[in-house]
Amino acid sequence: MRAMVLDNPARPLQLRDVPKPKPGRGQLLVRVSTCAVCRTDLHVVDGELPNPKLPLILGHQIVGRVEEIGEEANSKFAIGDRVGIPWLGWTDGECVYCRSNRENLCERARFTGYTIDGGYAEFAVADSRFCFHLPDNYNDTDVAPLLCAGLIGYRSYRKTGDAHRVGIYGFGNAAHLISQVALYQGRELFVFTRPGDKAGQEAAKKSGAKWAGGSDEMPPEKLDAAIIFASVGPLVPAALRALAKGGIIVCGGIHMSDIPSFPYDDLWGERAITSVANLTRRDGEEFLQIVPRIPVRTEVETFPLEEANTALNRFRSGELHRTAVLVVSSA
Ligand SMILES: [Zn+2]
Ligand SMILES: [Zn+2]
């Protein structure tokens, strides 16, 4: 099968003909239709995440159809079913985190497109227990970004509890998706872009933000919560200063540059800072039930599988204004 393979970080992916994987016990063999590109893919390619499997097939927002079912695979999938494969690929089910409904923190978790092969290829195998059915009213291209930007965004958003005034730093894919959920639930949105990014601020206002400005500005009201999707550490103390007492900052990225020190006074008043790691299957099931009701709209730009490097490079340089989706096969 054709696959885009990462041999070493900091090198472009190589188009290769590699053996088609076989579904093991509990696994599905999935013919990949589309795979969305995530910022985490960039972090892996750029060597910012430790110890990836090498060589590696990237990609953890995979949409495809079940081609073969391994022994003892979860019976909720049949041959030909459409299936979504997310970032969380496997957990041990027995560590202290798994046993307390926090499988996202599993000590031995494996991740699609990072420590196990992902979807920048014609086929992928996945543990059937971690795969999702996808809402019918989305096509294979539009549904793909929901599988990570949407899911991790949703987990970040849930951590804000019932915050009414929600700030979002970095109005990228995850922010775009989750802001639709927040507005649907009657929250007020305050969006922070790169200083001077007037186009980004206009776009945020158009999609319903009460206020949009640069990350160096203060919002007109104090926030009950702020989600930081940009991987920029100095945004944390900046967001703290915009926070009301009792507010929470949620860092939604898997990687962030160092956070500069700040006065304790800025944290005082029961302000909190947390991060979001991975996802649980429950997050996925909940989110995929909510999205068709709103409905959450994704904005995508498609690339053929062979042009994965182009998609990654344009993402890195900030030239992408929609989510890149690799189209692998047209089912
Ligand atoms: Zn575990
Ligand atoms: Zn991702």
Side-chain angles (χ1 to χ4, degrees):
M1 66 166 186
R2 287 176 309 136
M4 293 296 289
V5 180
L6 177 74
D7 289 317
N8 273 302
R11 296 266 175 78
L13 310 183
Q14 303 291 322
L15 178 64
R16 293 252 170 77
D17 195 23
V18 301
K20 181 171 154 185
K22 290 199 185 324
R25 189 176 292 265
Q27 289 183 325
L28 306 173
L29 173 69
V30 174
R31 178 185 289 271
V32 179
S33 169
T34 60
C35 185
V37 176
C38 176
R39 182 167 292 280
T40 301
D41 300 348
L42 271 187
H43 292 318
V44 175
V45 172
D46 293 344
E48 288 168 329
L49 295 185
N51 307 318
K53 168 191 180 289
L54 289 174
L56 172 71
I57 300 173
L58 284 168
H60 58 269
Q61 309 187 77
I62 308 169
V63 180
R65 283 177 182 67
V66 177
E67 178 112 343
E68 229 179 287
I69 299 178
E71 264 177 72
E72 289 174 40
N74 189 314
S75 58
K76 72 179 181 179
F77 297 103
I79 303 271
D81 278 1
R82 183 162 83 149
V83 57
I85 307 174
W87 169 249
L88 186 68
W90 184 87
T91 58
D92 60 11
E94 59 186 32
C95 72
V96 63
Y97 298 107
C98 284
R99 283 188 283 117
S100 53
N101 296 317
R102 294 176 293 167
E103 64 182 1
N104 59 308
L105 301 178
C106 176
E107 298 281 14
R108 295 167 66 212
R110 294 179 197 155
F111 302 107
T112 314
Y114 177 36
T115 54
I116 48 182
D117 280 333
Y120 287 22
E122 286 179 293
F123 292 91
V125 291
D127 187 315
S128 60
R129 298 169 302 165
F130 293 84
C131 297
F132 297 116
H133 284 292
L134 298 171
D136 289 332
N137 47 339
Y138 290 82
N139 63 35
D140 290 359
T141 309
D142 292 336
V143 82
L146 297 178
L147 280 163
C148 185
L151 276 181
I152 303 276
Y154 181 68
R155 187 172 176 85
S156 308
Y157 171 67
R158 269 215 339 208
K159 291 236 180 218
T160 68
D162 53 11
H164 185 64
R165 292 158 303 179
V166 178
I168 296 186
Y169 287 75
F171 203 62
N173 302 332
H176 174 74
L177 299 179
I178 222 56
S179 62
Q180 298 175 59
V181 180
L183 290 168
Y184 177 79
Q185 295 183 339
R187 318 293 176 99
E188 287 181 342
L189 276 189
F190 299 78
V191 170
F192 300 78
T193 67
R194 278 199 192 98
D197 179 7
K198 293 289 171 205
Q201 291 160 19
E202 279 315 305
K205 277 188 220 156
K206 222 179 243 168
S207 50
K210 183 170 182 189
W211 175 88
S215 57
D216 56 344
E217 294 176 51
M218 273 293 143
E221 303 166 50
K222 290 280 187 184
L223 306 173
D224 303 311
I227 307 173
I228 302 181
F229 287 120
S231 50
V232 182
L235 290 177
V236 174
L240 258 185
R241 288 193 294 274
L243 216 55
K245 284 188 283 189
I248 186 169
I249 290 177
V250 183
C251 302
I254 188 171
H255 171 81
M256 190 182 252
S257 58
D258 286 352
I259 301 170
S261 70
F262 52 84
Y264 180 59
D265 253 6
D266 290 352
L267 184 65
W268 176 249
E270 302 201 346
R271 292 173 180 87
I273 304 172
T274 188
S275 64
V276 156
N278 314 315
L279 67 139
T280 66
R281 283 171 276 182
R282 212 190 109 201
D283 297 328
E285 269 142 30
E286 242 181 74
F287 179 65
L288 291 170
Q289 292 219 323
I290 293 173
V291 287
R293 278 190 248 143
I294 298 178
V296 171
R297 299 261 168 245
T298 59
E299 290 182 5
V300 302
E301 188 170 334
T302 59
F303 296 81
L305 174 65
E306 296 76 9
E307 285 175 24
N309 286 312
T310 311
L312 287 167
N313 291 338
R314 290 186 52 192
F315 196 171
R316 187 186 292 105
S317 63
E319 289 167 54
L320 274 182
H321 298 293
R322 296 153 179 244
T323 306
V325 175
L326 304 179
V327 176
V328 181
S329 71
S330 42

